[in-house]
Amino acid sequence: MIYLDNAATTKPYDQVCDLVYNEMKNDYVNASAVYDYANHAKSVVDRARRDIAQTIGAITDEIYFTSCGSESDNWALKAVAEAYSNKGRHIITSKIEHHAILNTCQYLESRGFEITYLAVDKAGNVSSRDLLQAIRPDTILISIMMANNEIGTIEPIAELAKLAHERGILFHTDAVQAYDHIPIDVNELGVDLMSVSGHKFRGPKGVGFLYIKRQVKIGSFIHGGAQERQRRAGTVNVAGIAGMGLAAKMAHESLDLVRDETSKLRDYLACKILSTIDDVELNGPGLKDNRLANNLNVIFHGVRGESLLIMADREGIAISSGSACATGSLEPSHVLKAIGLSDDEAYSSIRLTVSELNTYEELDLAVSKLAKIVEDLRRIRRERL
Ligand SMILES: *Cc1c(COP(=O)(O)O)cnc(C)c1O
């Protein structure tokens, strides 16, 4: 397999796999139990919380473990909406958020909240002027993603969060794609809540966290036991949390190095595609602009993206046509529509996301296979016309 779908998920570090296995085997007692055996499990969870807090400049007690990025997003939005509904019922987000945000907003609309979905420019940027115009006296929350999962746009979070704070509005960011690509300091950024997911930075699946600034008073999302300081019930996922803690530490320590290596591979892939295949265009920000180092999004004109995916799959290339969560839906990507693409252009677009584990030889092979597939698909299309 040539894996070019690192925005969908990443390959866990070997050390993380080993740690998860050993934790499952050795620390199987319930971390909330009173007997001494539970102390080690407890200390493993404490260490992960401390390590993760350190990677974002947070206080240890501001980290809450969840089951995934989607849960973190759901918790942040629903709990703020509930806790602050006396103050107002208006929330601002963008048109290019992940479905974990957009569908939660839709749910909140059905519960009487009003949502403003900010438009973005051709490169996917949210503008502070638009945000300023959308803010109302009854706005209680602004949620803008740190980096987009389809086109890689990095949003000006510090600038947007400042506008929110000057008006006493809470700011949440979905940092699921950004966490291992951009150095984050929650205090410098001025965010109140931030969602992150383990499997997007070479940790295990099924574990994530929500950063909740100490001053933010929101309720529990999962009701039950007293875990996570009474804010998120459920027997603690010791192995998953330990694995995510180690992955966080490793990803953080190698962030600059990995980002540089990844962007070289991504730029090489882009060059190779543009020079080998006719009639292609890049979507999203320029490669040297505010864009995730691993992300490419390409229009192959005259080719249906879904057909390209299926043929690429037969050749052992794993790519996707946008968010994995939206694949299978017949709608064109909401992100590509929001940056102004026509339905045809959106349907002809493919996302390729590399990692430091890819090799140049692999990329050469992938492009030569893609070139052949694109040629075949275009020929079939011409013959049909
Ligand atoms: C993957 C992703 C999510 C969802 O995370 P899960 O852990 O898969 O639930 C949310 N937001 C963004 C931007 C993502 O890329």
Side-chain angles (χ1 to χ4, degrees):
M1 173 169 68
I2 302 180
Y3 189 65
L4 301 174
D5 201 17
N6 284 277
T9 197
T10 55
K11 180 176 192 276
Y13 293 105
D14 286 343
Q15 295 93 320
V16 167
C17 297
D18 292 345
L19 180 62
V20 169
Y21 176 79
N22 286 324
E23 279 305 320
M24 286 188 80
K25 239 177 129 67
N26 302 325
D27 267 333
Y28 61 86
V29 297
N30 192 316
S32 306
V34 291
Y35 31 81
D36 196 41
Y37 296 109
N39 282 331
H40 187 255
K42 254 179 245 160
S43 73
V44 165
V45 172
D46 287 346
R47 184 180 330 127
R49 201 186 307 277
R50 209 163 49 236
D51 287 345
I52 287 172
Q54 260 172 23
T55 66
I56 58 169
I59 303 166
T60 306
D61 281 356
E62 293 175 322
I63 305 298
Y64 293 84
F65 294 120
T66 63
S67 69
C68 61
S70 300
E71 183 188 328
S72 300
D73 284 345
N74 270 260
W75 184 5
L77 267 56
K78 289 177 187 167
V80 168
E82 190 171 43
Y84 293 79
S85 61
N86 287 335
K87 185 171 170 251
R89 298 175 78 84
H90 180 237
I91 295 169
I92 302 172
T93 186
S94 83
K95 288 188 173 172
I96 62 164
E97 299 295 313
H98 189 273
H99 281 112
I101 295 290
L102 291 178
N103 290 347
T104 303
C105 284
Q106 223 174 50
Y107 165 78
L108 289 171
E109 281 177 316
S110 79
R111 312 294 297 178
F113 288 86
E114 272 185 81
I115 318 282
T116 300
Y117 300 90
L118 296 176
V120 295
D121 67 12
K122 187 81 190 134
N125 296 297
V126 171
S127 92
S128 42
R129 211 189 43 208
D130 289 351
L131 177 60
L132 212 48
Q133 271 174 9
I135 292 175
R136 310 191 320 207
D138 62 338
T139 306
I140 51 171
L141 175 67
I142 297 168
S143 176
I144 306 289
M145 68 199 326
M146 197 173 293
N148 183 268
N149 48 303
E150 291 190 37
I151 54 172
T153 313
I154 297 171
E155 301 293 348
I157 295 303
E159 191 183 313
L160 302 174
K162 189 158 171 281
L163 296 180
H165 285 166
E166 286 165 359
R167 288 156 188 80
I169 302 165
L170 290 177
F171 196 95
H172 166 257
T173 189
D174 175 338
V176 172
Q177 288 293 329
Y179 177 74
D180 66 336
H181 287 274
I182 305 169
I184 294 172
D185 182 308
V186 284
N187 297 305
E188 272 173 30
L189 281 175
V191 296
D192 301 296
L193 301 118
M194 182 171 83
S195 305
V196 179
S197 176
H199 73 96
K200 301 286 176 86
F201 57 92
R202 305 192 62 191
K205 289 168 188 55
V207 60
F209 69 88
L210 179 65
Y211 158 78
I212 309 176
K213 200 182 180 70
R214 216 177 230 178
Q215 292 81 353
V216 177
K217 304 293 177 217
I218 58 171
S220 170
F221 188 54
I222 308 279
H223 302 278
Q227 292 92 353
E228 298 297 293
R229 301 173 301 291
Q230 316 221 22
R231 271 174 139 174
R232 201 278 186 184
T235 298
V236 179
N237 175 4
V238 177
I241 290 166
M244 178 169 67
L246 178 58
K249 221 172 144 191
M250 291 178 71
H252 191 68
E253 278 163 7
S254 62
L255 191 145
D256 291 337
L257 215 73
V258 167
R259 187 182 45 195
D260 289 351
E261 185 54 34
T262 307
S263 74
K264 272 185 215 147
L265 287 157
R266 188 271 316 269
D267 292 354
Y268 180 82
L269 179 61
C271 262
K272 199 91 194 165
I273 290 174
L274 290 168
S275 63
T276 314
I277 309 175
D278 296 335
D279 216 7
V280 293
E281 254 180 281
L282 301 186
N283 290 321
L287 299 187
K288 294 279 173 273
D289 296 338
N290 288 332
R291 182 177 192 139
L292 290 177
N294 68 352
N295 174 284
L296 259 193
N297 195 302
V298 186
I299 314 178
F300 295 90
H301 288 286
V303 170
R304 185 85 181 188
E306 291 292 324
S307 318
L308 183 52
L309 287 191
I310 294 164
M311 307 267 281
D313 181 31
R314 281 193 210 144
E315 297 288 335
I317 304 171
I319 45 179
S320 88
S321 61
S323 163
C325 324
T327 305
S329 86
L330 294 171
E331 293 292 306
S333 149
H334 66 285
V335 175
L336 298 180
K337 292 294 289 177
I339 61 169
L341 266 61
S342 67
D343 282 3
D344 260 355
E345 289 169 326
Y347 280 130
S348 299
S349 296
I350 291 291
R351 177 184 74 185
L352 304 111
T353 42
V354 302
S355 83
E356 72 276 21
L357 300 176
N358 288 121
T359 64
Y360 290 93
E361 294 71 38
E362 248 179 1
L363 299 182
D364 284 340
L365 187 60
V367 175
S368 71
K369 287 183 172 192
L370 288 176
K372 171 86 175 60
I373 294 168
V374 168
E375 194 186 309
D376 288 348
L377 288 171
R378 283 179 179 157
R379 184 166 33 73
I380 293 166
R381 189 186 172 105
R382 271 197 310 275
E383 285 165 5
R384 281 221 193 106
L385 288 175

